[in-house]
Each structure stands twice: as structure tokens, then as C-alpha cells.
Amino acid sequence: MAAAGPASLRRSHVTHTMAERLLQASRQRRGKAMTAAAGLAGRAAVPLLLCALLVPGGAYVLDDSDGLGREFDGIGAVSGGGATSRLLVNYPEPYRSQILDYLFKPNFGASLHILKVEIGGDGQTTDGTEPSHMHYALDENYFRGYEWWLMKEAKKRNPNITLMGLPWSFPGWLGKHFNWPYVNLQLTAYYVMTWIVGAKHYHDLDIDYIGIWNERSFDINYIKVLRRMLNYQGLDRVKIIASDNLWEPISASMLLDSELMAVIDVIGAHYPGTHTVKDAKLTNKKLWSSEDFSTLNSDVGAGCLGRILNQNYINGYMTATIAWNLVASYYEQLPYGRCGLMTAQEPWSGHYVVESPIWVSAHTTQFTQPGWYYLKTVGHLEKGGSYVALTDGLGNLTIIVETMSHKYSTCIRPFLPYYNVSHQFATFVLKGSFSEIPELHVWYTRLGKPSTRFLFKQLDSLWLLDSRGTFTLELREDELFTLTTLTTGGKGSYPLPPKSQPFPRIYKDDFDVDYPFFSEAPNFADQTGVFEYFTNIEDPGEHRFTLRQVLNQRPITWAADASNTISIIGDYKWSNLTVTCDVYIETPEKGGVFIAGRVNKGGILIRSARGVFFWIFANGTYRVTGDLAGWIIYALGHVDVTAKKWYTLTLIIKGRLSSGMLNGSYVWTNIPVSFPKNGWAAIGTRSFEFAQFDNFRVEATS
């Protein structure tokens, strides 16, 4: 005991000296704040942070004395639903890695906790198709598409990231000629199970959650079969989320069926508007907003995200929110253009934009982790806005306050009832285990006018030693505050990427890639069907390496896939252009292929796409149409064409006239085309059939 005395005294002296320094610093900061409050005229957007300064306004107690609220499961985003990361994979380095850092790197940007990906099913699922790992029953390939790569890149940056998979469409063979995935429950469960096993076997990826069928019907027996199939394969740890649609009828079904209740781990709802339903709460299951946001990534979109990240829990007890979509990396004129956390739609230039939703996400993601707990004492502010607080149970505390106005935080769905936010002072009182916290680090965002706009700015810390755990914030509209004991946050940055450039006016691809890293050719965006690199083993000539449309059956659709397959490419603004491509029809008699220009629609609108389409068919005919469906016929006739031979097609569109060539000779000339005025180039097939394309070239003059 005697030996401990001097050391104990030394520790006491050090603690006393440190406390004196902290108190002195706190008084200085408090003095500055009071001075600012008393007389700072013409204050710009820098907020006032007042420790223990008596001001009118609401008082909000943050206390863990009566226990904690629900466990926090994280903030995430969706890649897929569909093909939303299509252009990202083509970005040159270092820009591709920089984009990935802004999305996934801890304490850098969005720092996401959850990555949800589409289990590609060969069908159109909003902005394009994503390939299945099993186009056919005896076909397995775990290197198609880019979701495997994306999950690995996310894991590289955050080894603890939660991975989720969800089907939108399914390959046609599962339906046995019906457009329905529940014809054979065992077969569909097997298909999903192989995707999970393949993720582990080929990519060392552990899938944490698996879904049923995005925003479509669920089958109670299928969910049970899937659970048994996973358990049989030793995948007990993989949790099931359902139904990725509405709260009902899944919640009521669970309350009525104890087996169903046991096999579902999370109830996931889409676009819940921050609210849940009684049945969902009665299940006592985790409640997630498993798809949300879907809003243009302007400051209004950022305001939408800032509001729902808080209020999904306050109003609806949702412990995870997953934004659609991860990164707007698809042609902007497709449906829901730029509805990603950031924008990366120019791999040809390397240009990308770190949009404000990245920094709004950081207010939560950088200062919490799955496994933290919400406090019970969370809620709405007296004059509009909300606050949440979370703790790791080890003494750390993070508080997030938002005052998003109605006008500047409206999400794309659902309807947002009117409310008002006004200037206010909010006093927070830390109690329980938080009452002795000496310091809170402060991060601040204000959306809106460029002159007063701040994105994720670190302010001076709040010192609470002489304020009895009390502090006051001055709050205005469209602000976000994070106050935290954590010191690890950071606003990551890289040198500005290259300037935006339009798609090259002269573009060509011979598809001569022996061992492609990705299955799809750069910049082609499949809208119906799947176009993959292909090797003709028997062809030693110039067509050994091609791009092949590989589906010969219609998938179990999620959206309205066209009856023809089509892949678009280029600049939507193109008007005058020449498209040339070598084509190879594989299906005798009934087969057909096309090249096209001025294609004006894609995604879920692909069936109604207009443009100029030049078709040739294996029966020796050609056709020129003004639409993909083939209803508007400009010209038709006979040509010397058959299956199993290569031909070169050329389409020339200039002003109001178009012409077409076969093997360098004109087939038709100067056909008037008044609509549309502009659009993408494209290739495709008459139906779901095998066909090949090579030596694609486009030259646009305007």
C-alpha cells in the first residue's frame, strides 16, 4: 500500500492539472459563445453553439438511466434494381477507386454500413438488366456482371460491411414457361442458395441477409423452403428479410403463422414515409426501411435523406435505412437519372461529382456503427426537425439533429404532409452515464443557398465540464448537426477529377478481349436481354472475339421487358450519326438483328422506345422502323441475308433523312424521320435469341 501512495498522488496531480486546463478552455469557449450570442451582427451560416447559456426554447433530455432503445443496424445503399452501377466499372484509375472510397471507406465519405445488391436475373429492373449467374439450368458462372466485384471492393474498404442480396427478376427457366418464380419452390430456393454459396466459394464473400422478391408477391411456403434450404447447406447464419415491399400483408402473416415468424429475421419495407404499422411492431422483429430515398441527389435530395435517416427511427422504429441507389452510374436520361448518393456517369472522361447526400450520410455513418443502440429519449423538436442519439454502451454518445424544411426535403415518394420548421434554440441535457461527458465534437451541414451552404464542416468542440452536461444549439432551417464523443470523423477529399466531357463522337469497339475482367463490354447498357463477351473457338479469323446476346428465353420479369433485346450506348444528345456494326444471326429462318440511332427511351420504358431501327432477318428480308416494337414501318423489302453468316450493317441519320447499307451497298436511302430528334445508338435482336455483334463503330457529327 505504501508503494502505491506516490503514484496515486502523481495520478491525482495529473488529473487535477488536466481538469484545470479543460475548465480554462471551456470557459474561454463559453465566453466566445456568449459574446457571439450577445453581439455578432450579420452572422453568416456559422451556427451558435452555446454551453449552459440560458435561452428560451425547448429542453431535450438525453438519458440512458431507464435503459436503451432498439439496436442500430446501419445505413446503406442499393447497387442494382437495376444496372445502376453499370458505368462505374469502366472508370479508369485512380478515379474508380476514389469513387469507391467516397462510398465505403470509413471516416472518409458516406462510410456505408450496408451494401445491398441485386441478384441478377436477366430482366429489366429499372435502368437496365443485370446478368444471372445461371442463365440456364445447367449453366453456372459466378463472374458475370459487376456486383461480385463491387462487394469485394466494399469489403476491402470496410471489412465489417453488411452484405445483402435480393432478386428483382429471375431467369426464365425457373418459371417453367410461367412468368412466376414460385412454380417450383425448391428450384427457386436452390437458385438463390447457389448465389450465396458462389459468393463465398469464388469471392470469399459472406452474404449476411437474403431477400425474397423485390416489391412483388411473396409466397409463405417459399420463405420456409428457402430457410430449410439454407440451413441444409450450413448457411444458418444467413438471415432472411421480407418482403421488401409494404409492411402488410407480411406482418399480419407472421402474426398468424408461428413458423413464418420464426424464419423471418427482419421485416423490410420500401418507402415507408418514416412510419410503420401496428402489426409490424407487434412482431418484435427488426424493422428496416430496406429501400428509400430514390430522389435526385441535389440539396433537396440531401434534405430528404437527412430527414428520413432520423425520422425513420423516431416515427417508425426502423433501425436501418438503405438508399436507392448507391451511385448514379448509368446514363442520366434513363429513368430516375442522378438518384444516387453521388454521380459517376462519365467513365470516358473520369469525371464524377461528390454530391451532398454523401455528406448527409456521413453525419450518421461516421459516428455510429451497427451494434450501437438508440436512446429511448429521441424525438421531434418543438419548432420542427428532429433529434436522435445513439451509444455504443461504452461511454460514447452521438447526437444527430436535423431541421429539414418541407420544401427542401421532399422525397420522390411517398407524399409528405405539410409541416413547418422555424428558427429555434434547443437545449439538450445529458443525464445518466452521459452527464460527465467533458467534450462533444461538432460537425455541421447547412443546405440551400451557395452563400450560406456548408457540407460536413467540423466546428469548434463543445466543452461541458462546467455546464452540468447542458448545451444549447441555435437552429435554422435545413441544418444538420452531429455532436459526438468520437474523434475519428473526417471529410475525405481527392484532387478534383477531370472535367465533364460528352461521350466521344467517334467510338469503336472490336470486342477483342481474350480474358475480359467483366462480362460486359464498356459503355453498353443492356435494356432487355444480356450482351456478353464471347469467344468463337472455331473461328480463327477476325470474328473470334465478339459481343453475343445470350438469352433465348424471356426472363421472369420485374418490369415490362421489351419483346426484342437491346443494348444502348453513347450520348443521348446525338442527332446526326453513322452507326456501323458486323452482325451474325444464329437462329435460322426466324432470327433477326438490328442497329439503331436516336433511341429515346430505356429502362422500364424500353417497350415504347422510338428511334430509327435498321433490321435484317434470316428469311432474307429487311425492315426500317421508327420504334423498337416495330409498329411504325418506314420501309421493308428483300435482301440477300441468311443465318450463320457475317454481314456489315450501316445506318446513316442526318437531319430529317436516313439511309442504310448492307455490306457497303445502299439498301434504302433518304427515308424521312422527323421523330425523335436525338437519342442513343443501339444494337439488338428480333426476340430472345442468340446473335453476335462485332466491330461496332459510331461517328456522330452533332
Side-chain angles (χ1 to χ4, degrees), residues 196 210 226-236 238:
I196 299 171
I210 198 73
L226 177 62
R227 180 72 270 165
R228 290 197 292 270
M229 178 80 70
L230 295 176
N231 292 351
Y232 180 76
Q233 293 294 329
L235 297 169
D236 310 59
V238 179

Side-chain angles (χ1 to χ4, degrees), residues 280-291:
K281 286 181 269 192
L282 286 174
T283 65
N284 291 319
K285 294 288 184 176
K286 288 179 177 289
L287 308 177
W288 289 8
S289 177
S290 53
E291 186 177 313

Side-chain angles (χ1 to χ4, degrees), residues 378-444:
V378 301
H380 293 274
L381 298 169
E382 186 179 291
K383 294 187 178 180
S386 67
Y387 64 97
V388 295
L390 302 96
T391 181
D392 62 354
L394 302 173
N396 283 309
L397 176 69
T398 290
I399 307 159
I400 304 128
V401 182
E402 62 82 20
T403 56
M404 297 301 140
S405 63
H406 181 277
K407 183 177 181 180
Y408 293 108
S409 73
T410 300
C411 302
I412 200 168
R413 67 179 79 88
F415 171 76
L416 180 63
Y418 182 76
Y419 65 89
N420 189 49
V421 177
S422 57
H423 180 212
Q424 61 191 302
F425 289 89
T427 299
F428 293 87
V429 183
L430 306 186
K431 290 192 174 182
S433 69
F434 310 121
S435 60
E436 300 299 320
I437 288 175
E439 179 183 12
L440 288 173
H441 304 278
V442 183
W443 292 81
Y444 174 68

